Amino acid sequence: MITIAVDAMGGDHAPRPEVEGSVLAAQQFGVRILLVGQPSVIRSELARHSRPAALIEIVPASEVISMQDHPAQAFRRKKDSSVHVGARLVKEKQADAFVSAGNTGAVMTTARFVLGTLESVDRVALAAPFPNARGGVSVLLDVGANVDSKPEHLLQFGVMGEIYYRLTFGSRKPRVGLLSVGEEEIKGNELTRAVYDRFKHLPVHFVGNVEGGDLFSGKVDVIVCDGFVGNIALKICEGLAMEIVKFMKKTYKGSLASQVGYLLSRGALKGIKEKLDYSEYGGAPLLGVRGICVIGHGRSNATAVKNAIRVAAGLARARVNEKIEQELSLTTAKA
């Protein structure tokens, strides 16, 4: 049975969404859950559920890393935090994966130092899935694990992202693109131009450069960039989506005609909202660490936590780290 350690204290509204999402995941997916955090608080939330899953256990952790904590300082000073304890459970083989919606920087820092990186991996990468215009899912990486990357790192991101996409979304031959300022091979900065030719020699379906407008077009499945660019792109997309929703709500309240228009179109709008809902994608895996770590949004609700557990369990069953080790050791030497 797959066992998932869940940081019960990490999210903005913890521990309620974490506990509820864990109960749902245990019931629907048949996975064993280790809820990590302050026992009294977790028990209080479990008591709200008339039939808490029998597959849920509590693992004590006395400290909590807040969203305001500096990642490096939190890693050094809070050794008994729910993030530390959860990562150690994976390292000690008591859990197959760790899920957290806590402080992203602190989770990444802890995972890298507690779990370590795979032998063939130079830099880990955070891979963010999001819906595209063709009705599928695209993945952008790295979205923040590194702010400075070398060509070798981007090549590894491409291979890891392609493996993750194959295992998670079922595509036999995902299309891999390099995020740049133009589609032409000569476009881009020193980093993208240096890596372009080398991507051609990897056994991935490399389609060349893609522009920012292709993030949601569905033209490619895996989009590779350095973490500085990727994090900015992700934050812009998140902010734009929130502002569009606010704008639409304000517009529909503007006049009687707008309200009638809303009533006529609310079915379609509901479908769009569900498609864009981050909670359906669960979270972003931190690829390249010696263990499975999925990081959710700080605002994660119970559905997002449940789906993050689903993603983590799927990667554990597919032995994603073994495949990354095998394929990177073979492919990077050819690049």
Side-chain angles (χ1 to χ4, degrees), residues 22-50:
S22 295
V23 170
L24 292 171
Q27 292 172 344
Q28 294 181 25
F29 309 136
V31 294
R32 177 171 168 254
I33 305 292
L34 303 179
L35 280 170
V36 185
Q38 298 171 343
S40 60
V41 179
I42 297 173
R43 289 193 192 99
S44 177
E45 283 301 321
L46 281 172
R48 297 179 62 251
H49 299 272
S50 57

Side-chain angles (χ1 to χ4, degrees), residues 33-331:
I33 305 292
L34 303 179
L35 280 170
V36 185
Q38 298 171 343
S40 60
V41 179
I42 297 173
R43 289 193 192 99
S44 177
E45 283 301 321
L46 281 172
R48 297 179 62 251
H49 299 272
S50 57
R51 292 190 304 154
L55 297 175
I56 291 181
E57 301 174 29
I58 299 174
V59 177
S62 61
E63 297 176 301
V64 176
I65 295 178
S66 72
M67 295 295 183
Q68 288 70 44
D69 282 332
H70 187 279
Q73 293 177 357
F75 169 73
R76 291 193 300 267
R77 297 174 183 175
K78 296 185 176 181
K79 298 295 186 180
D80 197 48
S81 69
S82 52
V83 176
H84 257 85
V85 175
R88 285 202 298 268
L89 289 170
V90 176
K91 182 179 181 180
E92 296 167 1
K93 308 298 183 183
Q94 297 181 53
D96 298 291
F98 176 52
V99 169
S100 177
N103 181 316
T104 300
V107 177
M108 289 193 297
T109 300
T110 303
R112 282 187 290 190
F113 285 98
V114 172
L115 299 176
T117 58
L118 296 172
E119 186 175 347
S120 300
V121 173
D122 295 319
R123 293 282 183 89
V124 299
L126 194 61
F130 51 86
N132 61 47
R134 299 187 183 184
V137 176
S138 296
V139 170
L140 176 69
L141 79 164
D142 173 34
V143 294
N146 312 275
V147 292
D148 294 301
S149 297
K150 297 179 180 179
E152 293 77 12
H153 304 148
L154 263 63
L155 294 172
Q156 292 188 356
F157 297 166
V159 174
M160 291 194 295
E162 196 263 0
I163 294 169
Y164 161 60
Y165 197 95
R166 265 193 282 131
L167 297 178
T168 304
F169 302 106
S171 174
R172 293 184 179 180
K173 198 174 182 181
R175 298 157 297 172
V176 180
L178 182 64
L179 187 61
S180 187
V181 294
E183 294 183 356
E184 297 84 359
E185 185 175 345
I186 60 171
K187 293 290 184 69
N189 57 15
E190 185 177 346
L191 176 62
T192 59
R193 291 197 304 271
V195 80
Y196 190 101
D197 278 334
R198 297 173 67 181
F199 253 116
K200 295 177 182 178
H201 300 289
L202 293 180
V204 299
H205 185 196
F206 180 58
V207 299
N209 286 340
V210 293
E211 300 181 66
D214 291 314
L215 288 176
F216 293 95
S217 71
K219 178 180 179 180
V220 292
D221 303 304
V222 179
I223 304 165
V224 179
C225 61
D226 68 86
F228 183 80
V229 172
N231 189 263
I232 292 174
L234 183 67
K235 296 293 175 59
I236 289 175
C237 293
E238 288 179 348
L240 178 62
M242 292 176 64
E243 293 305 317
I244 287 175
V245 171
K246 291 179 183 177
F247 175 77
M248 291 174 67
K249 287 181 178 179
K250 184 177 180 180
T251 300
Y252 283 129
K253 292 179 180 179
S255 65
L256 179 60
S258 296
Q259 293 175 34
V260 171
Y262 168 74
L263 291 173
L264 293 174
S265 60
R266 63 181 177 180
L269 292 172
K270 182 180 179 181
I272 294 173
K273 183 179 179 181
E274 290 175 352
K275 188 65 179 175
L276 295 175
D277 188 0
Y278 70 89
S279 67
E280 294 300 319
Y281 302 93
L286 185 62
L287 301 174
V289 291
R290 196 177 294 276
I292 293 168
C293 177
V294 176
I295 304 175
H297 201 291
R299 298 194 302 272
S300 290
N301 55 24
T303 299
V305 172
K306 178 193 74 173
N307 284 321
I309 294 171
R310 172 182 55 77
V311 170
L315 293 175
R317 290 192 181 98
R319 300 183 180 276
V320 62
N321 285 333
E322 291 183 17
K323 291 181 171 60
I324 287 175
E325 280 280 36
Q326 292 168 0
E327 299 193 28
L328 268 184
S329 62
L330 293 173
T331 59

